[in-house]
Amino acid sequence: MPERLGHNEYPAKRFFGRPAERALKSYAMTLSLNIAILAAGQGTRMRSERPKVLHRLAGRPMLSHVVDTARSLGAAKICVVYGHGGEQVPEALAAPDLGFAKQEPQLGTGHAVRQALPHLDPEGITLVLYGDVPLVRTETLRQVAQAGRDGLAILTARLADPSGYGRIARDDAGEIRAIVEEKDASAEQRAITEVNTGILAAPTRRLAAWLERVTDANAQREYYLTDVVALAIADGVAVAGVEAAEAWEVLGVNSQSQLAVLERHYQARAARRLMDQGVSLADPARLDVRGELRCGRDVFIDVNCVFEGRVTLGDGVAVGANCVLRDVEVAANTRVFPFSHLEDAQIGADCRIGPYARIRPGTALGRDVHIGNFVEVKNSRLAEGSKANHLAYVGDATVGRRVNIGAGTITCNYDGAHKHRTVIEDDAFIGSDTQLVAPVTVGRGATLGAGTTLTKDAPPDALTVSRAKQVTVSGWRRPRKSDPNEK
Ligand code: UD1
Ligand code: CA
């Protein structure tokens, strides 16, 4: 068989690798996998202005999950069919490896796949996915794509309640004969519990030929993708049914409450994966991972924590109840106490954060730093052993080692127009209720007396204090309200 070159293949790649690898590569190339993702539907039952597939599952548009799954299959071409909601879908998902085909008007799933065909490789196989079926697993789809190489493969599922789905009609020999849409089904056919998930795969050329022949002669006057089953059978092409191992992976979203059900399935799966890796979860039902959470060994996560973006927790890290961590790296053995909010920050090892701490973007904490209750840190570095334990604002500051920042300390970093930095050198001691009016530097080993408003640099190893002198007025009397009977 002559070796074909896909669009993304450089000729040099032909000579790369050992003969067996080359053979495998050319084989995969001749059967390039193309994926059409249908996402043009209106989603009326979401009762929303936003296109259904842009509603969020685990913090990201549900369509992004499908696109990621398509990528994980190693697809050569991915084409998203969009329509309802203008250009919102391509705008939200734009990526160099994605094609977009507009379907307008939306005349049914068969019509939708036809819009994708010009973007797909006619020599490959095409797998059809749905933007509103976001939990389907890569392993399952691999089986469908495999089975679709020499004929037509459809993914089916057994559902306790099959209502709303197309039913799989099989003959006495158990072979698939047709998919019957609920609206077109007889009472007998409606009793069938094996349903069409809508996901199917076939050689692209064949699929295109069948779709040419599909008509809209049905109850909904739509071009049904499912009609390709009858056409395949008429052509004497085998129709293989692949049954999904888990019913939840083929669930679609038509309403907000279905989306919420899928969210819990997604989170349950995320929690199971973490526990399989050895993470201790106080309650797997009260964890939300909206992104990627990587954990070292012996990590403990208490209830109601939310992890967004990319979060890494090192060995032995413990996260207390009700914490939100977004794009954060936490090094080994650090403890984050309850009700803390950490965003876009790097936290060193052996730190103690919270309870009620707020760590904002651009923060980097060294080893053994303590950030206590009602302390806000923004765009600041605190080196090893420094502490801000109570009620403070540390913004745009560079703090050395073993610095003690007293309760109520505030870096006055903003003059109304510009931000300025505060520098606090090693071993400085900042007395309580101090304002550091930036730009300002506190020298190494300096002490600031409580209540100081620092407007000029404090020299090292000295006490600096700005404070009105304390006076006592003896014999002074506090005013009293006069007695109304008094004359
Ligand atoms: C479809 C299947 C049905 C299956 C069910 C699974 C057909 C004819 N029926 O029915 O057998 O059990 O899915 O959920 O295929 N879409 C477009 N353009 C269109 C129409 C639909 O992109 O013109 C997209 C929708 O956005 C949606 C998906 O295709 O994501 C399914 O469309 P929908 O109208 O919901 O099909 P069902 O009636 O549910
Ligand atoms: Ca549907």
Side-chain angles (χ1 to χ4, degrees), residues 44 93 95 100 205 221 308 314 326 352 359 389 436 439 447:
T44 323
L93 272 280
F100 290 91
R205 221 182 257 295
R221 298 214 66 82
E308 298 179 326
R326 179 190 186 97
R352 297 168 65 91
I359 309 285
N389 273 325
L436 300 143
T447 300

Side-chain angles (χ1 to χ4, degrees), residues 43 83 132 142 198 202 239 244 292 339 371 392:
D132 59 357
R142 211 164 261 146
V239 179
E292 196 186 320
F339 298 99
I371 302 297

Side-chain angles (χ1 to χ4, degrees), residues 38-41 81 103 106-109 112 130-132 164-166 179 181 196-198 220 222 224-226 254:
L38 307 196
V81 181
Q103 186 200 15
Q106 288 116 44
L107 303 177
T109 46
Y130 297 83
D132 59 357
Y165 287 88
I179 294 172
E181 290 307 298
N196 173 35
T197 63
Q220 300 187 85
E222 281 185 1
Y224 288 170
L225 173 61
T226 45
N254 293 306

Side-chain angles (χ1 to χ4, degrees), residues 135-137 159 246-252 262 265 269 272:
L135 296 187
V136 65
R137 292 181 305 155
L159 299 183
E246 309 275 1
W248 54 256
E249 63 176 308
V250 299
L251 292 177
L262 261 63
H265 279 294
R269 184 160 56 157
R272 269 199 306 277

Side-chain angles (χ1 to χ4, degrees), residues 116-439:
L117 288 172
H119 297 258
L120 307 179
D121 174 7
E123 304 306 327
I125 39 171
T126 291
L127 172 67
V128 178
L129 302 180
Y130 297 83
D132 59 357
V133 182
L135 296 187
V136 65
R137 292 181 305 155
T138 306
E139 304 88 88
T140 304
L141 295 177
R142 211 164 261 146
Q143 287 175 44
V144 178
Q146 178 71 17
R149 292 192 314 174
D150 357 271
L152 174 63
I154 60 177
L155 180 65
T156 75
R158 294 210 178 261
L159 299 183
D161 175 12
S163 55
Y165 287 88
R167 310 296 204 279
I168 304 294
R170 290 179 182 266
D171 63 17
D172 295 338
E175 298 294 327
I176 294 174
R177 299 312 301 175
I179 294 172
V180 188
E181 290 307 298
E182 181 161 88
K183 286 173 181 137
D184 304 302
S186 65
E188 202 183 329
Q189 286 168 328
R190 285 185 189 197
I192 298 170
T193 55
E194 189 184 11
V195 304
N196 173 35
T197 63
I199 292 170
L200 57 76
T204 310
R205 221 182 257 295
R206 274 196 175 144
L207 186 62
W210 292 325
L211 287 172
E212 288 282 330
R213 288 151 65 191
V214 167
T215 70
D216 64 352
N218 52 55
Q220 300 187 85
R221 298 214 66 82
E222 281 185 1
Y223 295 88
Y224 288 170
L225 173 61
T226 45
D227 283 355
V228 300
V229 172
L231 293 167
I233 292 164
D235 285 355
V237 172
V239 179
V242 174
E243 195 179 318
E246 309 275 1
W248 54 256
E249 63 176 308
V250 299
L251 292 177
V253 173
N254 293 306
S255 62
Q256 300 284 359
S257 60
Q258 285 173 344
L259 178 57
V261 168
L262 261 63
E263 178 76 29
R264 289 341 298 166
H265 279 294
Y266 178 97
Q267 296 301 345
R269 184 160 56 157
R272 269 199 306 277
R273 276 197 198 126
L274 289 168
M275 291 186 293
D276 288 348
Q277 289 159 22
V279 176
S280 305
L281 300 177
D283 182 356
R286 282 183 288 169
L287 168 79
D288 285 85
V289 182
R290 301 178 191 150
E292 196 186 320
L293 173 59
R294 292 158 167 269
C295 294
R297 296 183 79 81
D298 297 304
V299 165
F300 170 72
I301 300 171
D302 211 332
V303 299
N304 295 331
C305 290
V306 179
F307 298 91
E308 298 179 326
R310 283 169 186 268
V311 176
T312 307
L313 305 179
D315 294 348
V317 166
V319 182
N322 301 297
C323 289
V324 177
L325 280 73
R326 179 190 186 97
D327 295 318
V328 176
E329 267 178 54
V330 183
N333 300 316
T334 282
R335 301 173 61 111
V336 181
F337 293 98
F339 298 99
S340 294
H341 189 280
L342 287 66
E343 185 182 357
D344 199 2
Q346 281 184 299
I347 312 295
D350 302 311
C351 289
R352 297 168 65 91
I353 311 295
Y356 298 99
R358 179 162 185 218
I359 309 285
R360 291 176 51 202
T363 296
L365 306 183
R367 208 186 65 79
D368 189 30
V369 167
H370 295 191
I371 302 297
N373 43 271
F374 307 107
V375 173
E376 175 180 342
V377 184
K378 187 215 76 172
N379 191 29
S380 294
R381 301 183 149 268
L382 280 82
E384 184 170 347
S386 287
K387 297 176 175 57
N389 273 325
H390 334 267
L391 302 155
Y393 173 58
V394 181
D396 302 308
T398 304
V399 179
R401 296 168 193 230
R402 298 172 302 273
V403 168
N404 193 314
I405 296 178
T409 296
I410 291 174
T411 54
C412 308
N413 58 328
Y414 187 50
D415 59 15
H418 305 287
K419 301 275 170 68
H420 302 281
R421 284 201 84 77
T422 298
V423 176
I424 305 174
E425 295 178 354
D426 294 350
D427 298 300
F429 182 98
I430 312 297
S432 296
D433 194 28
T434 290
Q435 299 95 53
L436 300 143
V437 182

